Amino acid sequence: MHGWVRWRTAMQRALYGEGGFYRRGERPAAHFRTSVHASPRFAEAVARLLAQVDAALGHPPRLDLVDVGAGCGELLVRVLQAARPDLAERLAPVAVELAPRPAELPERIGWRAALPDAVTGLIIANEWLDNIPLDVVELTPEGPRLVLVDPATGAERLGPPPAEEDLAWLERWWPLTNPGDRAEIGRPRCTAWSDVLTRLRAGLAVAIDYSHTRRDRPAHGTLTGYRDGRVVPPVPDGSCDITAHVALDACAAAGVRAGAAATALTTQRRALRALGLTGARPPIRLAHQDPRGYVLALRRAGEEAELIDPAGLGGFGWLAQARRIPLPEPLAECATA
């Protein structure tokens, strides 16, 4: 269907409307590579973080583990496998995802379309915020104007000025300088993250995503499409994933307003290294003493190296915010906010 709409409306329909990209059960791993799919070492690091949250909460009889934007639930499966038996027994794992529940998912993992009302434990949102629909604006000599899009073709044209609350968000978080500069209004992501923190009664919430901060916003925005492992034009017709990088610093401020008592804003490289992933190659002498062990250790080092590569997955942003517990020590060491 042709017709000019704002980008937020187009993304909502293309991703989550009837027959939308995520509604029809597309498997994320078929279209883009995430840390979860790259290696089980990511889940092992999350399991270590979960153990520290558990300790800070006093080892409660039930510990929630919520994966927001869970895809097919692979992270929860792997964390259950990596967690200590005594911790795994107390875990209440829940996947939050709009797509249908995969038939092969273990029964003990809950599956729901919306966040639980109350969570005590750990909430992980890995590459979720970047798919929250938002509007795009372009600076003109008369001021910012919304960018309208034809969902069928991806063609664009300028529309009316943004709402006052969006202009206020832009002024604080993404001020535009030169005519032609573009920005993505991240206010819906801030609202979504605030909702996560509101539901967190005690514990830790972590958002992991493509990101930028106020000091390094891209002049022309980050709106992108993905299909079959390739970057494609972001045509919002439901045929591809539509994503834009996240202003995690703005989300951090929203989390503080929602009750977060402590915040760490860092990179995946720093966070995972603090959680024990180094990418260090095993000593060559191991190849002579234990050839099979050497090969396994070499493979592990390669997987860790991919996860912490600053030019790849290691460059992702990590936003960790705690309520009623201190930040786990590894993340506290990374805290910049």
Side-chain angles (χ1 to χ4, degrees), residues 22-34:
Y22 285 109
R23 281 285 187 181
R24 62 175 182 260
E26 290 282 352
R27 290 181 174 263
H31 299 279
F32 45 86
R33 188 169 177 81
T34 73

Side-chain angles (χ1 to χ4, degrees), residues 33-283:
R33 188 169 177 81
T34 73
S35 296
V36 177
H37 307 127
S39 169
R41 310 307 162 208
F42 181 77
E44 291 172 5
V46 171
R48 285 193 285 274
L49 182 60
L50 178 67
Q52 297 194 26
V53 172
D54 179 49
L57 290 169
H59 308 290
R62 170 193 165 113
L63 185 69
D64 295 318
L65 174 60
V66 180
D67 184 8
V68 188
C72 296
E74 301 99 328
L75 178 61
L76 294 174
V77 172
R78 289 178 173 178
V79 171
L80 281 169
Q81 293 168 346
R84 298 190 316 267
D86 64 302
L87 176 54
E89 288 175 1
R90 293 182 285 112
L91 271 185
V94 174
V96 178
E97 182 57 70
L98 292 175
R101 179 189 180 100
E104 67 275 13
L105 194 71
E107 289 185 8
R108 69 165 299 188
I109 296 177
W111 190 271
R112 51 185 298 152
L115 282 160
D117 291 334
V119 176
T120 298
L122 176 62
I123 301 175
I124 293 285
N126 184 48
E127 296 193 49
W128 171 61
L129 286 172
D130 67 292
N131 286 130
I132 300 293
L134 42 56
D135 279 320
V136 178
V137 296
E138 182 174 316
L139 185 62
T140 73
E142 292 74 37
R145 293 291 184 269
L146 289 169
V147 177
L148 306 182
V149 62
D150 179 351
T153 66
E156 295 179 334
R157 73 180 187 188
L158 296 182
E164 288 298 323
E165 57 266 34
D166 289 333
L167 287 170
W169 188 93
L170 286 167
E171 183 178 359
R172 179 177 181 186
W173 295 110
W174 198 332
L176 299 173
T177 304
N178 301 309
D181 286 356
R182 287 167 61 120
E184 294 114 17
I185 302 174
R187 194 169 61 86
R189 278 100 180 263
C190 294
T191 300
W193 186 245
S194 177
D195 185 46
V196 169
L197 266 294
T198 299
R199 294 166 190 265
L200 182 66
R201 296 294 181 261
L204 185 71
V206 181
I208 306 164
D209 233 311
Y210 303 94
S211 67
H212 43 60
T213 61
R214 197 178 191 277
R215 65 177 178 269
D216 62 359
R217 305 280 190 231
H220 301 292
T222 62
L223 201 66
T224 308
Y226 286 96
R227 185 192 303 118
D228 300 329
R230 299 189 301 273
V231 174
V232 297
V235 179
D237 59 359
S239 67
C240 65
D241 180 34
I242 305 289
T243 178
H245 293 200
V246 182
L248 278 183
D249 49 351
C251 292
V256 171
R257 292 192 296 272
T263 296
L265 184 57
T266 187
T267 65
Q268 175 155 300
R269 177 178 176 82
R270 293 186 65 194
L272 291 186
R273 284 174 65 89
L275 288 165
L277 275 63
T278 66
R281 294 168 63 91

